[in-house]
Amino acid sequence: MADVPSDLTWKRAAPEDAQGPGPWIEIAFGAGELVYLRGTGDPATVVTTTVEKWEAFAKGVVAGEFDHFAEAETGTGARTEAGTDGADAGAAADEAAGI
């Protein structure tokens, strides 16, 4: 894993009305086209990717390519938190990606 710079500015991807620490993802854009992602529950674990890959992911969220993960089907996919939906996730991804 790459070293994580100490001067990153982390942005939380959460619905506007979210209360508490929640199970959110935080993102920071670093030098050299690197993007850092971490979960609020375990901020010491950081995943690094590139801006190009992050933008492709964010566009996929907006296009609905991952909606099946958020659908509340019986035994499949991940369920969204009460009061959120794919639109909230897409808006958060758009904002974080700057698109």
Side-chain angles (χ1 to χ4, degrees), residues 15 23-24 66-73 76-89:
W24 315 122
F66 305 102
D67 288 355
H68 63 284
F69 290 115
E71 293 173 359
E73 296 179 20
T76 62
R79 293 177 179 234
T80 59
E81 291 294 311
T84 66
D85 60 20
D88 290 334

Side-chain angles (χ1 to χ4, degrees), residues 13-96:
E16 279 186 31
D17 60 346
Q19 300 293 318
W24 315 122
I25 298 294
E26 294 179 318
I27 184 170
F29 293 88
E33 298 290 310
L34 291 178
V35 178
Y36 300 86
L37 301 158
R38 67 183 184 186
T40 55
D42 185 12
T45 301
V46 178
V47 175
T48 306
T49 190
T50 64
V51 169
E52 181 180 16
K53 290 177 183 177
W54 172 254
E55 288 175 350
F57 171 74
K59 288 177 182 177
V61 169
V62 172
E65 294 175 16
F66 305 102
D67 288 355
H68 63 284
F69 290 115
E71 293 173 359
E73 296 179 20
T74 56
T76 62
R79 293 177 179 234
T80 59
E81 291 294 311
T84 66
D85 60 20
D88 290 334
D94 279 353
E95 184 178 337

